[in-house]
Amino acid sequence: MIKYLGSKRALIGWITGVVQRVHAHAPIRTVVDLFSGSARVAHALKAQGYFVHANDYATYAYVLAQALVEADRDDYPPECIQPILETLMQLPPVRGWFTETYCEQARYFRPENGARIEAIREAIETYHDPLLRAILLTSLMLAADKVDSTTGLQMAYLKQWAPRAHTPLNLQSPPLLKGAGKAHHADALELASALEADLFYLDPPYNQHSYLGNYHVWETLVRWDKPETYGVACKRVDVQQRRSPFNQRTQAHQAMAQLISVIRAPHLLVSFNNEGYLSREDLESLLCEWGYVACFERPYKRYVGALIGIHNPRGEKVGQVSHTHNREMLFLATQHKAVWEAFCGG
Ligand SMILES: C[S@@+](CC[C@H](N)C(=O)[O-])C[C@H]1O[C@@H](n2cnc3c(N)ncnc32)[C@H](O)[C@@H]1O
């Protein structure tokens, strides 16, 4: 999976474990992940046999969800995908807008990899089956992520090339799963009331860090729209307009309250941490209106950029971070008292 700020990579077992424990007391068939991001959590839940709806408003995240959640491996087996990837890998490099913008003006990839990414992306335009196209784009994003020269965020690139940036790009089949699922590309606040499930999982942005701004290269790679860009980081200008209320201190509480109020499910699981716009008390009081609430906490290593240091948009180190761990929180709200008692030993 791609490097992703707030990704639940190291917390997957914790999150899916809570879902499994709920399932042991009140059977769960369908789960909605309204902020699916890298699609890690949705993918892990699908792997456990649930029917998963995965949604995100970023286009690249929607594509990841199409491949990793909606596509059925039986319809797109490796023996069908692998030969296409091998053909794409043989394409001669193309130095065009993508290479100029992200490898020369900015330096997210070495130009030799950028020009291969560009040739492969251009060829993917000729595939019209939406899920096959999403699988190929996912393979390209996963491969490009392995040879990038960032700390995991595209708000800056490293001053010196990262060692991995010298590795040749290598496409591999994404980890598709058998069975059905559904990807959505919507604002969570608009989609939530249209869906009904046994459990909703909410993992919204916690603070001002905008995902579209931090992963603008993936957005452009997927949209392939040669957008107007600005600044040293060459961000798409539209990341300034497509803002999420969860990234605004003044709107986050109201957005969360509105979202929770329209959820139709017996169980709700919410991820948050202690560095976000909402405190544990804020979330508990919102969720108490909705059901019986239990909160679990654990220490968590902050994102890799924080561990390496603070960088300016040119990738130069300009400061040290004050701490390397925070507290990750998981709130379970349930309308079944027996489920709550099973967690709280009541
Ligand atoms: C904390 S991340 C989710 C991380 C994900 N659970 C993972 O493990 O990769 C939050 C996600 O919410 C998405 N997002 C922000 N505002 C949104 C909105 N209003 N509707 C839908 N998605 C939104 C962002 O694009 C981002 O991918």
Side-chain angles (χ1 to χ4, degrees), residues 4-9 33-41 55-58 60-61 186-189 201 203-206 211 244-246:
Y4 207 58
L5 175 67
S7 138
K8 298 296 170 284
R9 190 176 58 82
D33 179 353
L34 273 182
F35 303 87
S36 55
S38 67
R40 267 197 180 85
V41 176
N55 172 66
D56 203 287
Y57 84 150
Y60 62 84
D187 185 326
L189 287 159
Y201 173 62
D203 185 20
Y206 299 167
Y211 283 83
S244 172
F246 294 92

